[in-house]
Amino acid sequence: MASQLTAPVIRARKGDDRAGEPLVMVTAYDAPGARIAAEAGVDLILVGDSLAMVVLGYDDTLQVTVADMAHHTAAVARGLRGLTPGRAPLPMVIGDLPWMSYHVSVTDTVLNAAALVKAGAQAVKLEGGSKRVAMVRAIVDAEIPVMGHLGLTPQSVHAMGGFRVQGKEAGGAELLVAEAQALVEAGVFAIVLEGVPDQVARVVTESVAVPTIGIGAGRFCDGQVLVFHDLLGIEDRIAPKFVRRYAALKADAVEAMAAFASDVRSGAFPSDDESYHLGDEAARVLGLYGSEGASKTA
Ligand code: KIV
């Protein structure tokens, strides 16, 4: 496989010559999604636990397991195999640690992170700040790069009382900076900032030595991430204000499938050219001369 971007390279983007060119991350959950992202030239693919909501039909992200995440991480990694990157190197793959996979014991945490790496991830992501420092250190000690995730952390949906923008209250920025710095000291190579006011994201971004990647966090982050199904309009039910839809694939797919259904029902599909045919001799032996198309060869 062609070379992939790595955690040290992504971390170094904070201060290198390409500073000013934001990092581009998208989620993907399967091989075709990975190929689309790679051919589009994104820097990072996150196999997010948003899998639960956009692919598996759950109402929140709490239902997915390490086995689910490993299954989809492996599909993404397989999708990149054999690809010639449009803009070398290929994207880095990050596996999202699901809820309760890094909350109980250090041993479980490291083994769960390792399961995602064995499936094909080059790094893992986990949600939370100072509370997660011990787990971040343990994963980093096992030589697995870790991406942090602060602000609106969907795995805390019940604790937050819903999917709510975070850091709006007085002192919110200071708190977030402290949490981000705790993660950096523990060894994260980048931090996702989700659902925070843009001014707060700016303060955090300017306060830490690793890249911040925003989603619903405004334009002052070091990079941006969107969920695959939101960006491409495969999800068309809810659109938070930070989502920009670059395509309407759900509408296109419905239209295409309705055209197929209509062609089948009217007899317009399949055509003669879309069918296999017996050769002349086989048709003669089977006594099928005379039936429409029987004299055509396959
Ligand atoms: O799971 C996910 O898709 C994420 C992104 C929103 C960053 O965590």
mmCIF file of all heavy atoms in Angstrom, residues 25 27 29 46-51 61 96 125 127 149 154 192 194 215 225-227, ligand 1:
data_model
loop_
_atom_site.group_PDB
_atom_site.id
_atom_site.type_symbol
_atom_site.label_atom_id
_atom_site.label_comp_id
_atom_site.label_asym_id
_atom_site.label_seq_id
_atom_site.Cartn_x
_atom_site.Cartn_y
_atom_site.Cartn_z
ATOM 1 N N MET A 25 -10.387 16.406 7.752
ATOM 2 C CA MET A 25 -10.748 15.068 8.239
ATOM 3 C C MET A 25 -12.208 14.808 7.884
ATOM 4 O O MET A 25 -13.034 15.715 7.914
ATOM 5 C CB MET A 25 -10.543 14.992 9.759
ATOM 6 C CG MET A 25 -10.860 13.634 10.366
ATOM 7 S SD MET A 25 -10.066 13.373 11.981
ATOM 8 C CE MET A 25 -11.318 13.950 13.108
ATOM 9 N N THR A 27 -15.291 11.466 8.339
ATOM 10 C CA THR A 27 -15.537 10.128 8.839
ATOM 11 C C THR A 27 -15.766 9.215 7.639
ATOM 12 O O THR A 27 -16.163 9.663 6.562
ATOM 13 C CB THR A 27 -16.766 10.066 9.758
ATOM 14 O OG1 THR A 27 -17.942 10.346 9.006
ATOM 15 C CG2 THR A 27 -16.633 11.034 10.925
ATOM 16 N N TYR A 29 -16.822 4.702 7.112
ATOM 17 C CA TYR A 29 -17.174 3.501 7.886
ATOM 18 C C TYR A 29 -17.021 2.219 7.078
ATOM 19 O O TYR A 29 -17.304 1.139 7.597
ATOM 20 C CB TYR A 29 -18.629 3.615 8.384
ATOM 21 C CG TYR A 29 -18.940 4.976 8.955
ATOM 22 C CD1 TYR A 29 -19.520 5.967 8.169
ATOM 23 C CD2 TYR A 29 -18.601 5.284 10.265
ATOM 24 C CE1 TYR A 29 -19.769 7.232 8.672
ATOM 25 C CE2 TYR A 29 -18.849 6.546 10.785
ATOM 26 C CZ TYR A 29 -19.432 7.520 9.982
ATOM 27 O OH TYR A 29 -19.671 8.772 10.491
ATOM 28 N N LEU A 46 -11.598 9.411 10.037
ATOM 29 C CA LEU A 46 -12.010 8.950 11.363
ATOM 30 C C LEU A 46 -13.113 7.911 11.195
ATOM 31 O O LEU A 46 -14.160 8.212 10.610
ATOM 32 C CB LEU A 46 -12.544 10.136 12.182
ATOM 33 C CG LEU A 46 -13.209 9.763 13.505
ATOM 34 C CD1 LEU A 46 -12.191 9.180 14.494
ATOM 35 C CD2 LEU A 46 -13.916 10.970 14.120
ATOM 36 N N VAL A 47 -12.855 6.705 11.683
ATOM 37 C CA VAL A 47 -13.941 5.722 11.754
ATOM 38 C C VAL A 47 -14.659 6.040 13.058
ATOM 39 O O VAL A 47 -14.323 5.548 14.133
ATOM 40 C CB VAL A 47 -13.404 4.277 11.722
ATOM 41 C CG1 VAL A 47 -14.562 3.291 11.599
ATOM 42 C CG2 VAL A 47 -12.421 4.089 10.578
ATOM 43 N N GLY A 48 -15.612 6.971 12.952
ATOM 44 C CA GLY A 48 -16.234 7.545 14.145
ATOM 45 C C GLY A 48 -17.309 6.640 14.723
ATOM 46 O O GLY A 48 -17.918 5.838 14.007
ATOM 47 N N ASP A 49 -17.560 6.833 16.023
ATOM 48 C CA ASP A 49 -18.665 6.072 16.615
ATOM 49 C C ASP A 49 -20.013 6.674 16.197
ATOM 50 O O ASP A 49 -21.072 6.138 16.520
ATOM 51 C CB ASP A 49 -18.537 5.958 18.133
ATOM 52 C CG ASP A 49 -18.630 7.297 18.844
ATOM 53 O OD1 ASP A 49 -18.679 8.347 18.161
ATOM 54 O OD2 ASP A 49 -18.650 7.293 20.090
ATOM 55 N N SER A 50 -19.963 7.759 15.412
ATOM 56 C CA SER A 50 -21.175 8.252 14.739
ATOM 57 C C SER A 50 -21.737 7.165 13.830
ATOM 58 O O SER A 50 -22.901 7.233 13.404
ATOM 59 C CB SER A 50 -20.874 9.520 13.925
ATOM 60 O OG SER A 50 -19.733 9.326 13.113
ATOM 61 N N LEU A 51 -20.933 6.146 13.556
ATOM 62 C CA LEU A 51 -21.396 4.900 12.928
ATOM 63 C C LEU A 51 -22.758 4.486 13.490
ATOM 64 O O LEU A 51 -23.660 4.086 12.741
ATOM 65 C CB LEU A 51 -20.358 3.809 13.244
ATOM 66 C CG LEU A 51 -20.765 2.366 12.974
ATOM 67 C CD1 LEU A 51 -20.711 2.080 11.484
ATOM 68 C CD2 LEU A 51 -19.832 1.400 13.723
ATOM 69 N N THR A 61 -24.726 7.607 20.206
ATOM 70 C CA THR A 61 -23.524 6.817 19.866
ATOM 71 C C THR A 61 -23.210 5.743 20.914
ATOM 72 O O THR A 61 -22.180 5.076 20.809
ATOM 73 C CB THR A 61 -22.296 7.745 19.730
ATOM 74 O OG1 THR A 61 -22.081 8.405 20.987
ATOM 75 C CG2 THR A 61 -22.473 8.773 18.636
ATOM 76 N N ASP A 96 -12.315 5.201 16.460
ATOM 77 C CA ASP A 96 -12.940 5.847 17.620
ATOM 78 C C ASP A 96 -13.215 4.809 18.707
ATOM 79 O O ASP A 96 -13.883 3.794 18.443
ATOM 80 C CB ASP A 96 -14.285 6.446 17.159
ATOM 81 C CG ASP A 96 -14.620 7.749 17.836
ATOM 82 O OD1 ASP A 96 -13.841 8.198 18.706
ATOM 83 O OD2 ASP A 96 -15.668 8.329 17.493
ATOM 84 N N LYS A 125 -9.166 7.562 18.908
ATOM 85 C CA LYS A 125 -9.702 8.815 19.472
ATOM 86 C C LYS A 125 -10.552 8.451 20.683
ATOM 87 O O LYS A 125 -11.222 7.415 20.685
ATOM 88 C CB LYS A 125 -10.544 9.562 18.437
ATOM 89 C CG LYS A 125 -11.180 10.842 19.000
ATOM 90 C CD LYS A 125 -11.866 11.665 17.935
ATOM 91 C CE LYS A 125 -13.255 11.203 17.595
ATOM 92 N NZ LYS A 125 -14.212 11.131 18.719
ATOM 93 N N GLU A 127 -13.030 10.474 24.001
ATOM 94 C CA GLU A 127 -13.684 11.713 24.424
ATOM 95 C C GLU A 127 -13.340 12.029 25.883
ATOM 96 O O GLU A 127 -13.255 11.130 26.712
ATOM 97 C CB GLU A 127 -15.208 11.573 24.275
ATOM 98 C CG GLU A 127 -15.639 11.364 22.837
ATOM 99 C CD GLU A 127 -17.163 11.290 22.668
ATOM 100 O OE1 GLU A 127 -17.907 11.492 23.658
ATOM 101 O OE2 GLU A 127 -17.607 11.019 21.534
ATOM 102 N N HIS A 149 -10.804 14.574 22.262
ATOM 103 C CA HIS A 149 -12.091 15.091 21.754
ATOM 104 C C HIS A 149 -12.747 15.831 22.920
ATOM 105 O O HIS A 149 -13.075 15.221 23.936
ATOM 106 C CB HIS A 149 -12.947 13.911 21.282
ATOM 107 C CG HIS A 149 -14.241 14.283 20.631
ATOM 108 N ND1 HIS A 149 -14.937 13.416 19.807
ATOM 109 C CD2 HIS A 149 -14.997 15.417 20.680
ATOM 110 C CE1 HIS A 149 -16.046 13.988 19.368
ATOM 111 N NE2 HIS A 149 -16.116 15.206 19.898
ATOM 112 N N PRO A 154 -20.356 13.507 22.357
ATOM 113 C CA PRO A 154 -21.649 12.814 22.254
ATOM 114 C C PRO A 154 -21.813 11.626 23.205
ATOM 115 O O PRO A 154 -22.930 11.284 23.570
ATOM 116 C CB PRO A 154 -21.693 12.374 20.787
ATOM 117 C CG PRO A 154 -20.827 13.362 20.076
ATOM 118 C CD PRO A 154 -19.717 13.677 21.040
ATOM 119 N N VAL A 192 -9.966 16.962 18.694
ATOM 120 C CA VAL A 192 -11.227 17.397 18.064
ATOM 121 C C VAL A 192 -11.931 18.334 19.038
ATOM 122 O O VAL A 192 -12.046 18.037 20.231
ATOM 123 C CB VAL A 192 -12.129 16.177 17.753
ATOM 124 C CG1 VAL A 192 -13.539 16.637 17.374
ATOM 125 C CG2 VAL A 192 -11.530 15.339 16.633
ATOM 126 N N GLU A 194 -15.562 19.935 19.411
ATOM 127 C CA GLU A 194 -16.907 19.816 18.842
ATOM 128 C C GLU A 194 -17.890 20.705 19.593
ATOM 129 O O GLU A 194 -17.904 20.738 20.837
ATOM 130 C CB GLU A 194 -17.390 18.347 18.923
ATOM 131 C CG GLU A 194 -18.815 18.176 18.390
ATOM 132 C CD GLU A 194 -19.228 16.723 18.169
ATOM 133 O OE1 GLU A 194 -18.404 15.818 18.377
ATOM 134 O OE2 GLU A 194 -20.395 16.525 17.789
ATOM 135 N N ILE A 215 -15.472 20.718 14.669
ATOM 136 C CA ILE A 215 -16.764 20.371 14.057
ATOM 137 C C ILE A 215 -17.795 21.176 14.842
ATOM 138 O O ILE A 215 -17.946 21.001 16.055
ATOM 139 C CB ILE A 215 -17.034 18.842 14.056
ATOM 140 C CG1 ILE A 215 -18.441 18.549 13.505
ATOM 141 C CG2 ILE A 215 -16.820 18.183 15.415
ATOM 142 C CD1 ILE A 215 -18.649 17.101 13.059
ATOM 143 N N VAL A 225 -13.564 18.830 10.476
ATOM 144 C CA VAL A 225 -14.073 17.484 10.204
ATOM 145 C C VAL A 225 -15.583 17.559 10.010
ATOM 146 O O VAL A 225 -16.262 18.342 10.673
ATOM 147 C CB VAL A 225 -13.729 16.486 11.346
ATOM 148 C CG1 VAL A 225 -14.148 16.973 12.710
ATOM 149 C CG2 VAL A 225 -14.328 15.094 11.073
ATOM 150 N N LEU A 226 -16.080 16.780 9.060
ATOM 151 C CA LEU A 226 -17.527 16.584 8.932
ATOM 152 C C LEU A 226 -17.809 15.095 8.819
ATOM 153 O O LEU A 226 -16.954 14.315 8.373
ATOM 154 C CB LEU A 226 -18.092 17.307 7.705
ATOM 155 C CG LEU A 226 -18.362 18.817 7.832
ATOM 156 C CD1 LEU A 226 -18.906 19.379 6.515
ATOM 157 C CD2 LEU A 226 -19.313 19.161 8.981
ATOM 158 N N VAL A 227 -19.010 14.737 9.212
ATOM 159 C CA VAL A 227 -19.465 13.353 9.092
ATOM 160 C C VAL A 227 -19.824 13.087 7.622
ATOM 161 O O VAL A 227 -20.519 13.884 6.979
ATOM 162 C CB VAL A 227 -20.670 13.114 10.031
ATOM 163 C CG1 VAL A 227 -21.382 11.805 9.726
ATOM 164 C CG2 VAL A 227 -20.194 13.142 11.490
HETATM 165 O O1 KIV B 1 -17.868 9.900 15.738
HETATM 166 C C1 KIV B 1 -17.670 10.920 15.071
HETATM 167 O O2 KIV B 1 -18.098 11.050 13.911
HETATM 168 C C2 KIV B 1 -16.909 11.994 15.686
HETATM 169 C C3 KIV B 1 -16.765 13.266 14.908
HETATM 170 C C4 KIV B 1 -18.000 14.054 15.035
HETATM 171 C C5 KIV B 1 -15.582 14.033 15.310
HETATM 172 O O3 KIV B 1 -16.466 11.862 16.764
#
